[in-house]
Amino acid sequence: MAHRKPDGSFRRFFLSFLLISVGAVLAGCDDGDDGRDGTDGTDGATGLSCWDLNENGIKDFPDEDTNGDGVIDVNDCRGDAAAGGSGDLSDPANVEKLAEEGEPIEVEITDVTIASAPVVTMTVTDADGNPLSNLGDAADVTCAIAKLHPAADGFPSMYESYTNTVETPSGVEPLSPDLLDRARQAARDSGTLVDLSGGEYTFTFDTDIADVTEPFAVSYEPTLTHKVGCEIRFSGIDGSDVNAEELNPDNPTYLFVPAGGDPSSKEIAATSNCNNCHDRFAIHGDGRFTYDYCQNCHNPYTRDQDYAELLDLSHMIHSIHGSAARAAQETVEGEYSFKVLGYGERFSGDAATDDFSEVTYPQAINRCENCHNTETEGATEAGDWRVTATAQVCGGCHVSGLIASEPDADTGLSTYSFQHPPEVLGGAIVPSGACTNCHGTNGFVATDEVHFVGRPLQEALGENFVFEILSAENVAPGDTPTITIRVTDQDGNPYDLVNDPEFSTDNGSSLNLYVAWTTDDVYNGDENGLLLGERSDGRSVQAGNLDTGYPFRMRLQEIQAAVGAQNADGSYTVPYFATLPVDYTGDVMIALGGHPAGNAGTDAAPDWQRALAKSAVFYPGTPRAQIVKAENCQNCHGYLSFHGGNRNGDTQICLVCHNSDASFDEDGITFGISFGYMIHNIHVASDTYLGGEFAEVTYPQSIANCQACHEEGTYNAARATARAISTNPGANLARWDDDTATTASSAQCGSCHTSNAAQGHFASNGGFIDVTKDPGLLGNPPVGQEACSVCHGAGATFDTTLYHGD
């Protein structure tokens, strides 16, 4: 997140301090000849002392609160926010300044009172806590209020909004199917905003919640938990290209019981969990950002009129994220697509774009804890999802069994039941509310336990296998390496890799020891143009059996055959099967990965036996520069695991194969698999890369946010040691010097910037596009010829981080 820029007064103070400090240092040096006297300067204008800003002859500190924020502090030097100061939002220049600083304002609801219409008290400040006045001149403020029905009759607690509307067929294009004649939908209240000064405001609802009869009667129940939530939407600034909407704050919410007492929470999920993947989740025109606020409207009393979809948050989010699971249950294509046009068909002008079946969820759908909270302090119903089950919630994913009754003629709402498949309870139909007879924590099929299968189970099994590379010797060019490895359980007890059933190939176990070179930029060849990768079973690129750029790889069977007795610490010393090439310069990287049989000795299915153990990477010399964080990948993917569970939990192991000289030619489609180049193309959903195989990927945040993956300061341009990226392996798979390649920055940036103008820009600034690699230049042309950093380097005019940071 961008930091506030110091104002001019701070910079002037700092420069003055710096000059005084430098002068003090110089005073200790030998004096030279005196210079001639300078001419007198002109008198400056009379200034205001920070100690008497209102010029009343009284020092401001500690006696006066000059900016009216109720606190006497250094912020009083900034002037009266309520009288045209920097916090006056009626001045577009102040709004523009705040927007340029790159941080949304902060709003906190401090109190809600209900006499007739609810009155909400809130504070509004900038990111430094300075009060902001005249909010209503710059932004629209609306609020919503709902009550929380407690859990009862087999149903979990659920919100119901006091303010509602009715959606009926609109007749606008694109015409919806209008599956319902009428549908109840929760709505916001426009209300009245009053500035109390000092950054404090009241918002008074138009609706008297003690007497709600239209369009639907909602009884006022003051003994229940209530939630107020608000959204603040800034308007554009005339004549400015600054996006004032960036000031829209996270939605403030406030829980209370009107009659007194401690409120419940229903915090079964969290905004922070959503933002692990979505960065800053924003929906409905960038005005709604928080899970807490979404609950107010997206409750079981809200339904879409167009497609008759239930808009309750639990059902909707399961349906959207579970799109692949829903599609797998279809007998007719599109049968279970989750489609919503929005109130008045507002979501878009193209009905096809509102079909959420296109969502590609990047991790196991049954890893429930990545969205859901467990029991936490203050979240009294955080574990609600573990103890309850309803047809409509579970039917988000298990859609084929969901049955909706005929909708109510007035509200459009239905009741729901669930029909089990024939092999379960003989296909019995169970009404929602009776699900906990079997599910939840009291039933014989616990809700959380039944989801702890497949990938989540494999990941948990993998935690009991800790891979280590302890040392590596004889790793210079021309040497045959000797590598010491160890695998322990999570308590540090070493496994016997030869005799323990967890490492029996009969149980489907796998263990692979890779050697790749160089750490400057992996290519697994020599400086004469040869690619030398090979497997311990004799398959090599020289034999034409593997693709270019392959590393040395020793498999479990060969490791077991090569090692002797365990060392005293439970490790094994592995004499490697291959000799490193003579003609290369640089250091090696070593990696260990695989999937032991985590359920060895049980009757579990073979796939369930695979324990997805985290891979290990070791650098006996200079490490390879790390420009991405594996934990950043896990934010979206939960736990990275690829190639049958052989490469898990760490992106570094990917580099042994996904390197700059690795490329394919399949059925006339040529493409490189260098890690960065491949990942950029996948996440941007390139429709040309790999024949468009990843064109349907839906990336859940701005593709321009490089720090979602990268370490800070690593994405201005390619590293100085980066080789050109092969995109065509050439005729000889055993050589890299006939590959077609593009210099590194041009290739990476060109994944997103695909226009002819962009390609021309790369080429005119030193980039080489689709050229043949030259051994004389060690596989480039060298990245040093790309002049990207002149304009896009750190601190440059068009610093990449200004456009692609967080």
Side-chain angles (χ1 to χ4, degrees), residues 128 140 234 250 294 317 340 351 371 503 528 556 616 627 728 759:
D128 290 333
D140 292 325
F234 277 78
D250 284 351
C294 296
I317 297 303
V340 179
C371 294
F503 290 91
N528 300 313
L556 174 60
I627 63 174
N728 185 319
Q759 298 296 307

Side-chain angles (χ1 to χ4, degrees), residues 569-582:
D569 62 355
S571 64
Y572 289 87
T573 300
V574 182
Y576 212 63
F577 77 97
T579 299
L580 293 168
V582 174

Side-chain angles (χ1 to χ4, degrees), residues 294-315:
C294 296
Q295 282 184 316
N296 266 40
C297 292
H298 286 280
N299 56 61
Y301 298 90
T302 293
R303 194 174 189 183
D304 175 53
Q305 176 267 331
D306 303 292
Y307 286 95
E309 297 286 9
L310 181 62
L311 299 181
D312 175 50
L313 194 63
S314 298
H315 175 83

Side-chain angles (χ1 to χ4, degrees), residues 332-357:
V332 177
E333 185 176 357
E335 178 182 8
Y336 296 134
S337 295
F338 188 80
K339 297 180 180 181
V340 179
L341 280 177
Y343 186 85
E345 287 75 54
R346 292 178 183 172
F347 276 2
S348 74
D350 179 2
T353 62
D354 302 307
D355 183 351
F356 292 97
S357 63

Side-chain angles (χ1 to χ4, degrees), residues 710-798:
H710 282 273
E711 295 270 12
E712 186 173 357
T714 63
Y715 52 88
N716 288 87
R719 293 166 292 111
T721 57
R723 293 166 63 88
I725 293 171
S726 294
T727 56
N728 185 319
N732 190 341
L733 297 182
R735 302 194 66 86
W736 55 258
D737 57 3
D738 68 345
D739 288 5
T740 299
T742 297
T743 42
S745 290
S746 299
Q748 309 287 23
C749 299
S751 302
C752 296
H753 301 282
T754 59
S755 69
N756 291 335
Q759 298 296 307
H761 177 76
F762 303 150
S764 65
N765 287 278
F768 287 78
I769 299 171
D770 294 335
V771 299
T772 301
K773 285 187 172 179
D774 181 354
L777 296 174
L778 300 185
N780 280 311
V783 70
Q785 293 190 17
E786 292 184 305
C788 307
S789 293
V790 173
C791 294
H792 301 292
T797 303
F798 300 103

Side-chain angles (χ1 to χ4, degrees), residues 222-403:
T223 60
L224 299 184
T225 291
H226 283 58
K227 181 193 286 187
V228 167
C230 300
E231 58 188 82
I232 293 89
R233 295 174 180 263
F234 277 78
S235 306
I237 305 171
D238 292 339
S240 172
D241 58 359
V242 171
N243 182 11
E245 290 181 354
E246 292 181 357
L247 290 174
N248 295 349
D250 284 351
N251 309 105
T253 58
Y254 187 84
L255 287 170
F256 68 108
V257 177
D262 295 328
S264 298
S265 66
K266 197 174 174 64
E267 293 182 10
I268 62 173
T271 303
S272 57
N273 294 346
C274 304
N275 288 344
N276 282 338
C277 217
H278 291 282
D279 186 34
R280 187 186 185 215
F281 187 69
I283 197 69
H284 297 297
D286 291 348
R288 302 169 195 173
F289 304 98
T290 65
Y291 162 82
D292 290 343
Y293 182 61
C294 296
Q295 282 184 316
N296 266 40
C297 292
H298 286 280
N299 56 61
Y301 298 90
T302 293
R303 194 174 189 183
D304 175 53
Q305 176 267 331
D306 303 292
Y307 286 95
E309 297 286 9
L310 181 62
L311 299 181
D312 175 50
L313 194 63
S314 298
H315 175 83
M316 182 178 70
I317 297 303
H318 283 96
S319 298
I320 292 173
H321 288 172
S323 59
R326 291 167 68 98
Q329 300 168 58
E330 292 178 346
T331 56
V332 177
E333 185 176 357
E335 178 182 8
Y336 296 134
S337 295
F338 188 80
K339 297 180 180 181
V340 179
L341 280 177
Y343 186 85
E345 287 75 54
R346 292 178 183 172
F347 276 2
S348 74
D350 179 2
T353 62
D354 302 307
D355 183 351
F356 292 97
S357 63
E358 66 183 18
V359 170
T360 51
Y361 192 61
Q363 57 175 285
I365 190 63
N366 59 331
R367 191 186 284 108
C368 304
E369 70 279 4
N370 275 17
C371 294
H372 284 284
N373 286 333
T374 54
E375 294 289 353
T376 55
E377 184 178 355
T380 54
E381 298 185 40
D384 216 11
W385 67 279
R386 295 179 183 273
V387 301
T388 64
T390 66
Q392 50 269 53
V393 172
C394 300
C397 292
H398 303 282
V399 62
S400 60
L402 184 63
I403 300 174

